[in-house]
């Protein structure tokens, strides 16, 4: 009672494999196109250089790198490998090679600062880093052994490329491990506090990729050409482009970094038909491209942050030949939780993020009473599925606050279901701020603000922004020195965090509103801000 079960069914041939010793890399490789002809199918195309990699080459480079990491570098099962790179043709090879030897993948935004990276290196227990050459300087202070991705002029640093070329794919080790073991540690702030390591197992990934493969099969066509600008360090990009789409033999055009004009060019040049995207890109397409030829486009997905009903409707008016669907997911659920399979339904319900994927159950919990709610009533979304993370790394308290004793993951999102099992995300109860789909943890910015000698107290809240979704705004209580300005505070934070985390607005206040238990009353600040901005 009070439980919503997925109304979708995986076909007989698409069940989630349960063999205990199956690992994610073997699973993905077993799904590659097999016959000689299929092996020449293109897996990846670099949008800038037009360099291509076939499935046969991808398999070969994964095996070679696995052999090189094992025999050459000495990486073993459970060793943590930190990948710091923008999207590149090598990224999927690195992920799959690391996973295939039972090592643990951890990833970060290459825009992160040296101190943010040092924290993650320490927290994850990184043994080896693999870095794009231009980011290596950020890893130097950590003292962690580092491989660069591509060859440089520096003769001392070994590159992944050289390791692949110099290793024998037949020497790839056969490491045995269980589905229940850790595959990756991705970072998310969850419902509260600073970034935490989300432990995702091989089982979590095998489950999500089975679902992704199934949704791709039922909603796309075999010859779809996908465009990738979603970063692979984030679960959305990792699940789709680092691992999942290889299970349907897709061709992926890869952009090293997002640029709107370059995206339009890539769509035209490579006849892109399918784009997993984020709301600011959908908005961009609505606003900016009147004469561009986007006739090849067939399917666009929006996820990672809310897409307004109005923008969805305008997109459909402007591009009536494109199917637009929303999906919803979390790092803690290893990717997608809901999606629209039927496009007619997505079109009729532009505010919904779709139906629960197969194998998911959910509850909608009244925030006041803790009781489960029926359809159309708003409450916190709790979910259960084989994709739900094992725990937060080294943080029992945060784990217990997020996954309860019955295995329900408390998402911190406010939602309701309609009578057809379509899910609507209406607000975020958790602290998390999303800027262009990227996570910003208020607690992290508050700690930095409090380190300023002239700041007594601080709170960071989201402010709605048409382009970026949300921007972080700081409320600051100044020590008696009132010459501290908004600009000085913005600069102080900007010097210490990745650009997407910058505080972009500052309000001065006499006291931060707090509950009796000392918790910041964020909603009160958000309402107060909305009121003053609307004046
Ligand atoms: N509407 C409103 C949405 C939506 C949303 C997410 O950074 P994380 O932890 O994770 C993500 C993952 C997104 C994702 C992964 C795989 C996939 O297939 C897919 O479908 C398109 C999406 O964003 O942030 C999780 C938080 O982001 C918000 C929500 O608050 C959630 O808890 N969020 N998607 N469609 N809000």
């Amino acid at each position: 009672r009070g439980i919503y079960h997925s109304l979708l069914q995986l076909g007989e041939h698409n069940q989630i494999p349960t063999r205990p010793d199956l690992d994610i890399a073997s699973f993905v490789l077993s799904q590659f196109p097999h016959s000689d002809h299929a092996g020449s199918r293109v897996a990846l195309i670099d949008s800038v250089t037009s360099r291509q990699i076939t499935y046969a080459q991808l398999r070969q480079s994964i095996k070679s790198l696995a052999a090189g990491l094992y025999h050459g570098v000495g990486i073993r099962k459970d060793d943590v490998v930190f990948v710091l790179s923008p999207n590149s043709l090598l990224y999927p090879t690195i992920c799959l090679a690391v996973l295939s030897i039972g090592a643990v993948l951890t990833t970060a935004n290459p825009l992160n600062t040296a101190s943010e990276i040092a924290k993650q290196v320490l927290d994850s227990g990184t043994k080896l880093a693999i870095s794009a050459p231009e980011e290596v300087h950020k890893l130097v202070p950590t003292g962690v052994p580092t491989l660069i991705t591509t060859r440089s002029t520096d003769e001392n640093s070994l590159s992944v490329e050289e390791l692949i070329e110099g290793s024998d794919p037949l020497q790839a080790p056969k490491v045995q491990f269980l589905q229940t073991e850790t595959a990756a540690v991705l970072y998310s702030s969850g419902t509260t506090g600073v970034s935490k390591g989300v432990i995702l197992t091989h089982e979590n990934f095998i489950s999500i990729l089975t679902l992704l493969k199934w949704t791709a099969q039922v909603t796309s066509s075999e010859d779809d050409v996908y465009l990738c600008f979603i970063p692979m360090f984030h679960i959305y990009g990792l699940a789709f482009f680092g691992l999942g789409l290889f299970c349907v033999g897709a061709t992926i055009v890869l952009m090293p970094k997002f640029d709107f004009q370059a995206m339009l060019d890539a769509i035209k040049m490579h006849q892109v038909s399918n784009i997993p995207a984020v709301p600011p890109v959908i908005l961009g397409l609505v606003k900016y491209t009147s004469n561009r030829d986007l006739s090849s486009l067939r399917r666009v997905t929006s996820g990672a942050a809310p897409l307004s009903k109005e923008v969805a409707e305008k997109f459909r008016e402007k591009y009536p030949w494109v199917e637009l669907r929303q999906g919803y997911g979390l790092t803690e659920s290893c990717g997608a939780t809901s999606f629209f399979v039927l496009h007619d339904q997505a079109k009729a319900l532009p505010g919904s993020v779709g139906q629960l994927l197969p194998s998911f159950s959910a509850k909608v919990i009244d925030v006041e009473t803790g009781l489960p709610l029926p359809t159309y009533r708003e409450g916190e979304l709790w979910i259960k599925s084989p994709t739900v993370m094992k725990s937060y790394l080294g943080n029992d308290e945060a784990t217990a606050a997020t996954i309860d004793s019955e295995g329900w993951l408390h998402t911190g999102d406010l939602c309701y279901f309609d009578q057809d099992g379509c899910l609507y995300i209406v607000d975020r109860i958790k602290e998390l701020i999303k800027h262009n789909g990227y996570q910003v943890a208020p607690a992290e910015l508050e700690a930095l603000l409090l380190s300023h000698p002239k700041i007594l107290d601080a709170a960071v809240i989201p402010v709605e922004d048409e382009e970026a979704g949300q921007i972080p705004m700081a409320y600051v209580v100044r020590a008696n020195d009132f010459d501290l300005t908004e600009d000085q505070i913005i600069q102080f934070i900007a010097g210490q965090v990745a650009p997407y985390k910058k505080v972009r607005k500052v309000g001065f206040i006499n006291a931060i509103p707090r509950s009796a238990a000392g918790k910041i009353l964020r909603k009160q600040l958000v309402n107060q801000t909305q009121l003053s901005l609307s004046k």
Side-chain angles (χ1 to χ4, degrees), residues 188 234-236 240 301-306 326-332 335-336 353 411 413 425 428 430 432 434 437 439:
S188 162
H234 185 258
I235 189 63
Y236 187 2
F240 266 87
T301 301
S302 176
Q326 273 208 77
Y328 156 86
L330 304 92
T331 309
E332 285 81 352
V353 295
T411 66
D413 289 311
I425 304 292
R428 207 172 284 141
K430 56 186 165 189
L432 176 66
K434 280 250 159 154
Q439 287 206 1

Side-chain angles (χ1 to χ4, degrees), residues 119-135:
K119 263 190 220 154
Q120 188 173 330
V121 163
L122 196 69
D123 188 73
S124 62
T126 294
K127 193 74 173 260
L128 172 77
I130 297 181
S131 172
E134 63 275 15
E135 310 299 343

